[in-house]
Amino acid sequence: MESLLFKLMLIGSLGVLSQWVAWRFRLPAIVVMAIVGLMAGPIFGIMNPQNDLGELYSPLISIAVGIILFEGSLSLDLREIRGLGKPIFRIVSIGALLAWLLGSLAAHYVADLSWAVSFVIGGIFIVTGPTVILPLLRQAKLKPRPAAILKWEGIIVDPFGALIAVFAFEFIKFLTIDTVTFATVLAFLTGSLLAVVIGVFFGYGVGWMFENGFVPEFLKSPIVLITVIMAFVLSDTVMHETGLLAVTVMGMTLANMHISSIGDMRHFKENISILLVSAIFIMLTASLNRETLLSIFDWNIIAFILLMLFVARPLTIFLSTIGTDLQFKEKLLVGWIAPRGIVALTVSGYFAGILLEAGFDDAVILTSLTFGLVFSTVVIHGFSLGWMSKKLGLSTESKPGVLIVGSSKFSVNFAKVLQDLNIPVLVSDSSWSRLSHARRLDVPYENCEILSEQTDYQIDLTPFEYMISVTEYDSYNTLISSTFVPSFGREHLYQLPLQVNQGDHLEDVSKHISGKQLFEEGANWTSLNEKINGGYMFKKTSITDQYSFKQYLADREEGSVLLMVARKSGSIDFFSPSNDTKAEVGDTVISLTKPNNH
């Protein structure tokens, strides 16, 4: 028991540590997890989760796959599909079918797999998955069009890869059994239909209970988790392998009910999915044996991977986007980038077992084949996306951008200074009249409510590393900061100091929900805009060997406000009471000073 507890602790620790290392050093997380899992498993032999966990191993993998698929389907809002445009619709419909067909043909003729196994693995390999593609997009800082295509392909196709694999497996299994009768086929179709009913029932039931106040806030996340498991197990008990269909339908049902608690559920599934992705990926890679690892270098598997990389994927994109407005270079980039990830590996591990049980002996190489493709695509695409997007002119500015929430004379003039420094900047405000300042100075702006659920699709957040909330209302600034913590992280969220006696008269707020204080004490909305009206100007001061930052501070006139430092490296640092911001030689200090300050 102690040994098992230690192994479980080790799996969780290595998974989360891998995620942290990937974040800290800007590496593809799945690459780090794969390396850590291989080192802990087949290389150094520290653990073998499949043997250590025994009968628990397969159920844990199965439930994890169900929860991960629920995560993907919870993002599938049909309103968003209608607004995605012709290229994306083509890629997620015609493109997905082409990818399935080409992947299956490659698996049969090149990897030498039977038709049954080929069509199952072909379905699994259409999935790119948001857990892999989104971190890569944020690092590469693609322009909105290619980023949107890759992002939504990953989210929309994600739930359907396993579904296609399920149906392919069931139908081919029935076709290869001599005793197949109409009754058995009808039983399968009935079981599949029942899985859909179970998914709709549980999804609608949870949504209705949440909306009508039958569940307290502190129980919502646990109820979602246990309900997903219930839907999966109940459906799988009635008809094997239909649990995946049930949880996917459940997620889609919830996503399209547009309930107010959907944001809470998304936070839940993001957190639980990160933990599951980490733990399950470590378990899967650590359970590989050295023979499986070495078999990846088999010529058939290498040829299959090369064919998927250089023929199947590009052909799928170019054929499915004929007649759309996609440029050739956009097709080239999208046709190259298709990293497979955790869903592909976990689902293939799930199907490897049931295919072997069904008598398809060639399924024994399924794990090797999938791991080879996953590892190859994540490494190659992860490290080539940034380089290729720059070569094709499809990446945004490499400098970290700033998203400014709240249009005023101060914020728009500050945005103009950032724009002059070639720092990507956008001013967002729900009021068209307040945005007149931005229109007058020709500063990029977006007329939208930043807290709307449509924000992700109206504003491309990829170029922006920082968000600063500079509206007149302190409570609104705090709400924005707490809402966008998952997207930006606390270190990159700033808001103006409280006004206390002005605005909404907010006297205090918990640091746990607010952003970092921007600039300095007293530099609130009223003070900054009064300074602009009083003639204060933005000043850029270069720090040199002859003029140090210490000398600059000594010369600074009383009443001026230190705003930020533009580093010579291209990064930026805002002045804040919580930051010990200092400028070095080659940096530029931005301040708000009196017009006669030279």
Side-chain angles (χ1 to χ4, degrees):
M1 179 60 72
E2 288 181 3
S3 175
L4 181 57
L5 285 174
F6 177 78
K7 296 293 172 62
L8 289 172
M9 178 276 294
L10 191 60
I11 290 168
S13 301
L14 290 176
V16 174
L17 179 64
S18 299
Q19 291 275 8
W20 182 84
V21 169
W23 164 80
R24 183 67 180 83
F25 297 101
R26 296 181 175 272
L27 299 170
I30 205 165
V31 175
V32 180
M33 288 188 288
I35 294 171
V36 170
L38 291 174
M39 291 175 66
I43 294 177
F44 293 115
I46 298 172
M47 63 178 177
N48 185 325
Q50 188 166 8
N51 294 335
D52 297 334
L53 297 175
E55 293 182 358
L56 281 176
Y57 180 79
S58 293
L60 284 175
I61 296 290
S62 301
I63 290 173
V65 171
I67 294 171
I68 292 167
L69 283 178
F70 173 76
E71 172 205 2
S73 57
L74 195 59
S75 302
L76 193 59
D77 189 333
L78 295 177
R79 296 178 303 178
E80 292 150 16
I81 295 177
R82 288 196 293 268
L84 289 176
K86 192 175 179 181
I88 297 178
F89 178 76
R90 290 275 198 88
I91 289 171
V92 301
S93 55
I94 299 171
L97 292 175
L98 281 172
W100 181 27
L101 178 62
L102 292 173
S104 302
L105 291 172
H108 180 68
Y109 288 109
V110 179
D112 201 26
L113 296 174
S114 64
W115 281 115
V117 178
S118 296
F119 272 101
V120 169
I121 200 69
I124 294 169
F125 284 164
I126 72 170
V127 173
T128 55
T131 55
V132 184
I133 196 68
L134 294 184
L136 294 184
L137 293 179
R138 186 169 288 278
Q139 286 180 8
K141 298 187 181 297
L142 293 186
K143 286 185 176 178
R145 278 170 60 93
I149 291 170
L150 289 169
K151 174 183 176 181
W152 292 112
E153 180 196 11
I155 291 175
I156 295 172
V157 175
D158 186 51
F160 296 117
L163 252 60
I164 290 174
V166 169
F167 286 115
F169 170 69
E170 289 295 342
F171 277 112
I172 291 172
K173 187 175 71 171
F174 281 123
L175 291 174
T176 55
I177 297 175
D178 295 333
T179 56
V180 163
T181 63
F182 178 73
T184 52
V185 174
L186 186 62
F188 165 68
L189 293 175
T190 304
S192 300
L193 182 61
L194 186 59
V196 173
V197 172
I198 289 171
V200 171
F201 174 77
F202 277 99
Y204 183 80
V206 168
W208 181 83
M209 288 174 66
F210 282 14
E211 280 294 270
N212 288 278
F214 288 103
V215 179
E217 291 297 322
F218 73 95
L219 275 181
K220 285 185 176 180
S221 293
I223 283 179
V224 171
L225 175 60
I226 200 64
T227 308
V228 171
I229 296 173
M230 286 173 61
F232 178 88
V233 173
L234 182 61
S235 181
D236 212 56
T237 302
V238 174
M239 174 68 71
H240 287 303
E241 292 87 50
T242 58
L244 300 175
L245 176 58
V247 296
T248 303
V249 172
M250 178 182 168
M252 291 173 61
T253 303
L254 277 167
N256 288 280
M257 288 179 70
H258 311 136
I259 62 176
S260 57
S261 297
I262 196 73
D264 299 330
M265 277 183 279
R266 281 180 178 145
H267 287 314
F268 149 75
K269 57 94 177 174
E270 286 167 3
N271 294 333
I272 197 69
S273 292
I274 287 174
L275 186 59
L276 283 175
V277 165
S278 307
I280 298 303
F281 205 83
I282 294 291
M283 287 171 61
L284 287 167
T285 51
S287 296
L288 297 174
N289 53 48
R290 293 181 184 180
E291 291 73 24
T292 302
L293 215 54
L294 292 172
S295 68
I296 292 173
F297 300 100
D298 181 87
W299 168 245
N300 287 346
I301 293 181
I302 292 174
F304 172 78
I305 293 171
L306 292 174
L307 199 63
M308 293 292 286
L309 282 169
F310 296 102
V311 179
R313 172 65 179 184
L315 200 58
T316 295
I317 297 301
F318 275 89
L319 290 176
S320 63
T321 55
I322 292 174
T324 66
D325 61 350
L326 275 188
Q327 301 174 12
F328 177 78
K329 60 182 181 180
E330 291 174 327
K331 293 182 181 181
L332 203 60
L333 182 67
V334 175
W336 170 241
I337 302 300
R340 275 67 168 192
I342 188 67
V343 172
L345 195 57
T346 50
V347 174
S348 72
Y350 178 82
F351 276 103
I354 61 175
L355 283 165
L356 286 169
E357 288 177 12
F360 299 101
D361 295 336
D362 53 334
V364 72
I365 72 161
L366 215 56
T367 304
S368 303
L369 190 71
T370 308
F371 184 76
L373 184 65
V374 167
F375 194 76
S376 301
T377 54
V378 169
V379 171
I380 295 171
H381 294 159
F383 288 110
S384 66
L385 177 57
W387 174 83
M388 189 174 182
S389 61
K390 287 178 182 176
K391 289 292 182 184
L392 294 173
L394 295 175
S395 64
T396 57
E397 297 286 342
S398 58
K399 291 183 179 180
V402 181
L403 177 57
I404 301 175
V405 182
S407 178
S408 64
K409 285 186 178 180
F410 166 77
S411 64
V412 170
N413 279 278
F414 184 41
K416 184 65 177 176
V417 173
L418 295 173
Q419 189 181 32
D420 292 341
L421 290 169
N422 294 319
I423 295 172
V425 65
L426 180 73
V427 177
S428 168
D429 201 297
S430 58
S431 168
W432 180 255
S433 61
R434 284 197 296 266
L435 285 167
S436 61
H437 304 301
R439 293 193 294 274
R440 186 172 63 254
L441 292 181
D442 197 25
V443 168
Y445 65 88
E446 188 70 48
N447 181 209
C448 71
E449 171 50 63
I450 196 71
L451 295 175
S452 167
E453 63 181 29
Q454 297 299 322
T455 298
D456 283 345
Y457 319 111
Q458 196 167 351
I459 298 178
D460 176 29
L461 298 178
T462 305
F464 307 111
E465 192 167 319
Y466 295 90
M467 173 184 275
I468 62 174
S469 303
V470 291
T471 74
E472 184 178 359
Y473 300 103
D474 297 324
S475 55
Y476 185 65
N477 293 337
T478 301
L479 180 59
I480 290 168
S481 296
S482 62
T483 301
F484 282 91
V485 165
S487 300
F488 288 87
R490 292 191 186 278
E491 290 300 308
H492 291 172
L493 282 168
Y494 290 85
Q495 67 182 76
L496 289 176
L498 301 183
Q499 301 189 88
V500 184
N501 296 322
Q502 289 135 334
D504 49 7
H505 301 280
L506 193 65
E507 293 187 3
D508 193 16
V509 66
S510 170
K511 292 182 179 179
H512 298 294
I513 61 171
S514 62
K516 295 174 72 174
Q517 185 175 307
L518 197 58
F519 310 140
E520 60 187 44
E521 289 289 350
N524 55 44
W525 187 92
T526 302
S527 170
L528 291 171
N529 282 284
E530 282 178 352
K531 287 180 185 296
I532 294 292
N533 291 331
Y536 275 62
M537 301 177 67
F538 290 90
K539 184 179 180 182
K540 291 178 276 191
T541 306
S542 298
I543 304 300
T544 64
D545 289 320
Q546 292 75 33
Y547 192 66
S548 67
F549 181 60
K550 186 177 181 180
Q551 183 64 45
Y552 167 78
L553 292 178
D555 293 345
R556 185 166 69 103
E557 188 170 320
E558 185 179 354
S560 65
V561 181
L562 296 176
L563 303 177
M564 60 169 277
V565 177
R567 305 288 182 189
K568 60 181 178 181
S569 62
S571 64
I572 60 177
D573 280 316
F574 291 102
F575 284 99
S576 167
S578 58
N579 296 346
D580 184 21
T581 305
K582 295 178 181 178
E584 308 292 339
V585 174
D587 297 340
T588 302
V589 179
I590 313 300
S591 61
L592 188 62
T593 63
K594 290 181 180 178
N596 61 346
N597 188 21
H598 297 291

